[in-house]
Amino acid sequence: MEKKLKFIISGGGTGGHIYPAIAIANEIKYRYHDAEFLFVGAKDKMEMQKVPQAGYPIKGLWISGIQRKITIKNLLFPFKLASSLLNSYRLIKKFKPDVVIGTGGFASGAVLKVASRLKIPTVIQEQNSYPGITNKLLAKNANVICVAYEGLEKFFPKEKIKFTGNPVRQDLLNIDDKRLQGLTYFELDTSKRTLLVLGGSLGARRINQLIANEIDFLLELGVQIIWQCGKLYFDEYSHYNKKENVHVFAFIDKMDFAYTAADVIISRSGASSVSELCIVGKPTIFIPSPNVSEDHQTKNAQSIADKKAAIIIKEKELEQDFKNVFADLISNDQKQQKLSKKIYKLALPNATHEIVNEIEKLL
């Protein structure tokens, strides 16, 4: 009898690390029905809920990142790191994986570090145009590094890089067929343009403030709004549901319906969001978060804007630019069509398939 293949997949903290990890697991499971999986994340982070909801077991490590300012949490970091390395060792020795895959986050750093030491093949899936410190440190000992942007050889060993794109949820492919379902699901007016507002899985304070401040302006333009404000901000903004043509959610589970219903999208520019929006092919205004490592969201968005495939507005420019930019876009069908065509050309819909091809080569 053939040995069952076993995979440890680690990544978390945000949806941008979790959903690619789940997409990779689903593709492996499709090819190897009896494969066994163990996810490893950080305790108290969203992966501890999202991964079991997707049908996979997960173990949590006591680990978190270093804060940019002096805090008590930083004093605990050496102890958390030691604990996470020790527990990663125990998990790996007990589970005996054939390959260990990391999609980012501090938990994946500990797991891949230990796996490399134990001579177990490791794969890094780097979503961003500018890698985080964890993946840069792991790159030297990784077997394969799957990337979504060109030019990353300045950070990673060139011979290990595979240009695959970022995994996306399969339900986002061919969303045009679902438009009527999407409009019905969100109880939208079919005669109005729809604005979809996204701030990432946890929400974005500055985007929420922008929409709240400009809500009357947006409604006067005749748009209806699907607004994912994030679970951290739902209590603060849920009262806008009382306004006609405004639909506020902490989290949108049916993202395929939200994307297909949208005519224009306002979004952060985390790597997974950018990859999804390329596949969705809708005119997009990116508002990058300036509060992320190495300002990588701005770099992600700029790489799309440079190809004239999206619009980018920096947070500090919102007050002076947003109204004019949005009013021009929502009233200009030709501009919307051009942006849609150009961003769709950048899509890499086979990314998950290509990544798992690389994992197979290590088996």
Side-chain angles (χ1 to χ4, degrees), residues 38-43 47-48 51 57-61 91 94 107:
L38 177 64
F39 278 69
V40 181
K43 286 181 178 178
E47 58 265 28
M48 302 307 292
V51 169
I58 186 168
K59 297 287 187 181
L61 301 178
L91 288 171
K94 183 178 180 181

Side-chain angles (χ1 to χ4, degrees), residues 156-296:
F156 299 140
K158 187 175 181 179
E159 68 278 5
K160 296 183 179 183
I161 293 175
K162 304 294 179 183
F163 183 71
T164 58
N166 281 327
V168 296
R169 290 168 276 194
Q170 293 301 295
D171 60 4
L172 299 185
L173 302 177
N174 304 316
I175 61 164
D176 290 343
D177 299 339
K178 304 176 183 177
R179 184 164 174 83
L180 185 57
Q181 287 175 280
L183 293 169
T184 304
Y185 180 82
F186 290 103
E187 299 178 346
L188 298 171
D189 184 338
T190 56
S191 67
K192 289 182 176 289
R193 297 288 176 93
T194 303
L195 167 64
L196 173 62
V197 181
L198 304 170
S201 52
L202 301 177
R205 178 182 292 280
R206 188 65 187 90
I207 290 180
N208 288 335
Q209 290 172 340
L210 171 74
I211 301 304
N213 292 338
E214 305 296 353
I215 197 130
D216 291 331
F217 160 76
L218 293 168
L219 294 174
E220 283 168 12
L221 290 173
V223 301
Q224 54 196 342
I225 303 167
I226 303 172
W227 178 4
Q228 179 182 283
C229 66
K231 65 177 184 179
L232 299 177
Y233 304 103
F234 185 69
D235 289 344
E236 186 176 352
Y237 294 103
S238 61
H239 68 277
Y240 284 101
N241 273 317
K242 294 175 183 175
K243 278 187 172 283
E244 191 176 0
N245 296 314
V246 179
H247 308 266
V248 186
F249 301 89
F251 187 82
I252 298 173
D253 289 312
K254 298 291 290 183
M255 277 307 302
D256 53 337
F257 285 179
Y259 281 134
T260 193
D263 294 290
V264 173
I265 298 171
I266 292 173
S267 176
R268 283 298 199 205
S269 49
S272 287
S273 296
V274 173
S275 296
E276 287 187 358
L277 290 164
C278 288
I279 284 173
V280 166
K282 297 292 178 81
T284 299
I285 298 173
F286 286 120
I287 303 174
S289 170
N291 308 311
V292 293
S293 61
E294 309 294 347
D295 198 21
H296 68 254

Side-chain angles (χ1 to χ4, degrees), residues 300-357:
N300 292 347
Q302 197 64 56
S303 70
I304 307 298
D306 286 346
K307 296 178 176 70
K308 294 183 169 49
I311 297 166
I312 179 172
I313 309 178
K314 295 182 179 179
E315 281 194 358
K316 61 186 179 183
E317 298 166 352
L318 283 172
E319 286 187 9
Q320 67 182 48
D321 291 347
F322 176 74
K323 280 188 174 181
N324 289 336
V325 169
F326 186 82
D328 174 61
L329 179 60
I330 202 68
S331 64
N332 191 331
D333 290 347
Q334 191 175 13
K335 188 169 189 176
Q336 290 176 36
Q337 288 167 11
K338 282 183 179 178
L339 287 171
S340 291
K341 286 178 182 176
K342 287 185 177 181
I343 198 169
Y344 186 70
K345 284 181 181 177
L346 301 177
L348 295 166
N350 296 319
T352 313
H353 184 83
E354 296 295 332
I355 290 165
V356 176
N357 284 350

